[in-house]
């Protein structure tokens, strides 16, 4: 069953068309990787889905409800949560305040539930434990990324969208984050993972789409995409023979 | 002595000092300076919330200050309103004006927003100058009555001193509560990253508008008290230079702090008084425009040596501070490489 259906989504930044009719879907409980070069429209796609950018045309149905032209507040309440590019944590606030702001739309509910949820997030990212009162801006890049994802989890997402979570991070930290994403999927959270690090994305994704110049040009399972010559050259930087080895590893 | 006890001791000493000060001071001049500091603190506290919490810059604060002052002057002298209703109008009117113009203005970002608020300030100042009989034109309005609350008439400096003291205290408490509230956290979240705030369902446009209205509300409060204190107003104290001075006061004191505005205002007002005495000694017939050069200089020095403002960061550096610095450097290096 699909949790997200996107049909013919068109977005403009001023006069420049960033998305030229993007169509794809995400099923419940799966990780969909979105690949593409810089400027292909990946971040715009996530921004449009989360209500930050207005789409000029197209339809977005999330969990059976159309969310076109809805505010980001409404979309967050439905459970579609964006973890933006470059972490964008709230630097001057504490780790705890960052996490609590993730649950902004349910502040009026019982506070003890929020603190229980925060404990669960800290269990998902044990590296953040004991740092609740630390100013978020002084955390390392890896911890900031974990905090950004944790803040997204505090919103109780049905579908979590991550915009390049591996950027600028050491391989060990990337592996830790990917492990956390797998666990989230096992717990039933659907994930859209925008990445330039195709190798890392293919290891966790159930399906993948490739965006070029604002359009979906390839889609399929990682095992299929890894054999696609365009994907190999553009995103894996490998020849066909080397790609075979990667495919076997997947 | 434990830190907490010392804090309460200082608060008690400051409270006693505040109460007995008018009896100790022999000069009304010093008392009037303290009153002006109090009035400006209200105005700058609002600007501090707008700039320090919501991250929005405004070069039009003097306009809202002026709208509050002119509301009192026009309603009491032209329409014979009572002093309390006119005072309430002085608080509400700037907030209403801010609500109307804030909606389109706050969609602008960074220097475009600064330019828009600057334009608002200039337009309002032109209205004060060209408002004919209503505003009294460049000559202004005289004959503003003293503020009366019940049987108490605020006709002497020491009464205004206590009145403004109460308002400043209430505003401090309000800003402190805001700082610890959900709205305060959300405003700071918007300042740190508007995209992430939106992604978390925070309605940044609505919250920025609220901060703008709150800042105008405090400017109107200051303006209303100013009109009742001076009992005469003209367009001059509400011009572009005054808006710049309010911004400098807020920045020098420390944005996003409770005490910063009081410190910034005190320094700038004291400096203004010193310059008023000092500059003519070297440049005879010098006007007030020379002061702005020194204000600019102070701002530049603060930005170089204490960019977070003078009210914060004076505690001794510790080992963890050095670690923080190292981590900040590392994060900066990573982001530059990116």
């Amino acid at each position: 069953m699909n949790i997200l259906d996107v049909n013919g989504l068109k977005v403009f930044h001023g006069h420049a068309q960033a998305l030229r009719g993007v169509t794809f879907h995400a099923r419940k409980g799966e990780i969909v990787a979105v690949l593409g070069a810089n400027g292909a429209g990946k971040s715009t796609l996530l921004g449009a889905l989360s209500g930050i950018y207005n789409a000029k045309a197209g339809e977005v149905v999330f969990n059976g409800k159309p969310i076109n032209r809805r505010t980001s507040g409404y979309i967050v309440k439905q459970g579609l949560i964006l973890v933006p590019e470059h972490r964008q944590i709230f630097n001057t606030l504490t780790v705890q305040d960052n996490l609590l702001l993730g649950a902004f739309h349910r502040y009026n509910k019982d506070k003890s539930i929020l603190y229980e949820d925060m404990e669960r997030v800290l269990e998902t990212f044990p590296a953040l434990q004991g740092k609740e009162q630390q100013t978020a801006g002084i955390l390392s890049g890896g911890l900031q990324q974990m905090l950004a994802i944790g803040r997204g989890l505090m919103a109780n997402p049905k579908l979590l969208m991550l915009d390049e979570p591996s950027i600028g991070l050491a391989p060990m930290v990337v592996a830790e984050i990917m492990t956390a994403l797998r666990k989230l999927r096992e717990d039933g959270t659907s994930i859209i993972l925008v990445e330039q690090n195709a190798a890392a994305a293919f290891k966790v994704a159930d399906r993948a789409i490739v965006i070029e110049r604002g359009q979906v040009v390839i889609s399929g399972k990682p095992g299929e995409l890894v054999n696609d010559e365009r994907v190999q050259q553009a995103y894996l930087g490998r020849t066909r023979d080397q790609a075979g080895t990667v495919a076997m590893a997947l | 002595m434990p830190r907490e006890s010392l804090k309460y001791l200082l608060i008690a000493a400051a409270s006693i000092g505040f109460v007995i000060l008018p009896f100790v001071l022999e000069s009304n001049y010093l008392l009037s300076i303290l009153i002006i500091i109090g009035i400006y603190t209200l105005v700058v506290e609002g600007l501090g919330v707008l700039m320090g919490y919501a991250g929005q810059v405004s070069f039009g604060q003097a306009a809202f200050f002026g709208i509050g002052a002119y509301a009192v002057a026009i309603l009491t002298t032209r329409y014979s309103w009572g002093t309390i209703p006119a005072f309430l109008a002085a608080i509400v009117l700037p907030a209403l004006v801010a609500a109307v113009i804030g909606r389109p203005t706050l969609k602008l970002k960074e220097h475009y927003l600064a330019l828009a608020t600057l334009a608002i300030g200039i337009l309002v100042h032109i209205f004060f100058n060209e408002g004919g009989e209503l505003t009294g034109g460049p000559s202004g309005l005289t004959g503003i009555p003293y503020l009366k609350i019940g049987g108490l008439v605020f006709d002497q400096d020491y009464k205004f001193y206590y009145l403004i003291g109460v308002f400043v205290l209430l505003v401090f408490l309000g800003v402190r509560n805001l700082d610890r509230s959900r709205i305060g956290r959300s405003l700071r979240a918007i300042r740190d990253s508007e995209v992430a705030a939106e992604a978390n369902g925070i309605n940044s446009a609505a919250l920025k508008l609220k901060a703008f209205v709150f800042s105008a509300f405090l400017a109107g409060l200051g303006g209303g008290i100013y009109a009742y204190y001076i009992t005469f107003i003209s367009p001059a104290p509400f011009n572009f230079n005054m808006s710049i001075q309010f911004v400098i006061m807020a920045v020098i004191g420390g944005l996003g702090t409770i005490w910063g505005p009081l410190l910034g205002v005190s320094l700038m007002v004291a400096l203004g008084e010193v310059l008023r005495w000092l500059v003519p000694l070297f440049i005879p017939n010098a006007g007030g425009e020379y002061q702005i050069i020194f204000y600019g200089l102070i701002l530049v020095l603060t930005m170089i040596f204490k960019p977070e403002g003078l009210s914060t960061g004076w505690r001794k550096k510790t080992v963890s501070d050095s670690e923080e610095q190292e981590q900040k450097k590392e994060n900066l290096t990573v982001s530059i490489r990116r």
Side-chain angles (χ1 to χ4, degrees), chain A residues 72 88 92 107 138-139, chain B residues 182 191-193 198 327 331:
Chain A
S72 51
Q88 305 225 22
T92 59
Y107 254 39
I138 61 153
L139 296 175
Chain B
R182 174 191 182 220
R191 182 194 60 191
D192 286 352
S193 169
E198 286 277 343
Q327 192 58 61
N331 289 346

Side-chain angles (χ1 to χ4, degrees), chain A residues 89-124:
Chain A
I89 54 153
F90 307 128
N91 279 320
T92 59
L93 302 182
T94 62
V95 168
Q96 180 172 306
D97 282 347
N98 266 271
L99 291 174
L100 287 175
L101 278 167
F104 178 83
H105 67 284
R106 46 194 193 103
Y107 254 39
N108 295 333
K109 294 189 179 158
D110 186 1
K111 292 278 186 297
S112 62
I113 295 172
L114 299 186
Y115 284 94
E116 279 170 25
D117 288 348
M118 197 161 73
E119 286 305 313
R120 262 198 295 278
V121 167
L122 293 173
E123 278 167 24
T124 308

Side-chain angles (χ1 to χ4, degrees), chain A residues 52 72-73 76 82 84 86-88 90-93 97 101-102 104 107 137-141 144 151 167-168, chain B residues 182 185-186 188-203 207 324 327-328 331 334 338:
Chain A
I52 292 171
S72 51
V76 166
L82 169 67
H86 303 315
R87 300 152 203 155
Q88 305 225 22
F90 307 128
N91 279 320
T92 59
L93 302 182
D97 282 347
L101 278 167
F104 178 83
Y107 254 39
I138 61 153
L139 296 175
S140 67
Q144 285 188 0
R151 188 180 60 193
I167 199 163
Chain B
R182 174 191 182 220
R185 273 198 292 265
S186 308
R188 285 196 281 161
I190 292 168
R191 182 194 60 191
D192 286 352
S193 169
E194 197 168 336
V195 171
E198 286 277 343
N200 284 284
I202 297 170
N203 187 340
L207 272 180
E324 279 186 24
Q327 192 58 61
K328 277 181 182 172
N331 289 346
V334 169
R338 211 190 286 148

Side-chain angles (χ1 to χ4, degrees), chain B residues 300-308:
Chain B
V300 169
L301 289 174
T302 308
M303 288 297 95
I304 292 171
F305 297 108
K306 206 82 179 64
E308 69 276 28

Side-chain angles (χ1 to χ4, degrees), chain A residues 2 7 12 16 81 91 104 123 145 175 186 189 196 217 248:
Chain A
N2 292 350
N7 284 308
F12 287 76
I81 309 299
N91 279 320
F104 178 83
E123 278 167 24
Q145 187 60 66
E186 284 163 19
T189 308
Q196 286 201 48
V217 289
M248 283 173 73

Side-chain angles (χ1 to χ4, degrees), chain B residues 228-273:
Chain B
Y228 281 126
Y229 177 57
I230 303 287
T231 67
F232 154 74
I233 57 164
S234 67
F238 314 111
N239 61 11
F240 169 65
N241 273 359
M242 199 64 225
S243 285
I244 296 287
Q245 283 187 46
F246 286 144
V247 171
I248 295 174
M249 288 168 183
V251 172
I252 286 176
L255 295 172
T257 63
I258 295 163
W259 295 98
L262 177 61
L263 185 64
V265 168
S266 303
L267 277 173
M268 292 288 285
V269 171
L271 180 72
E273 292 304 310

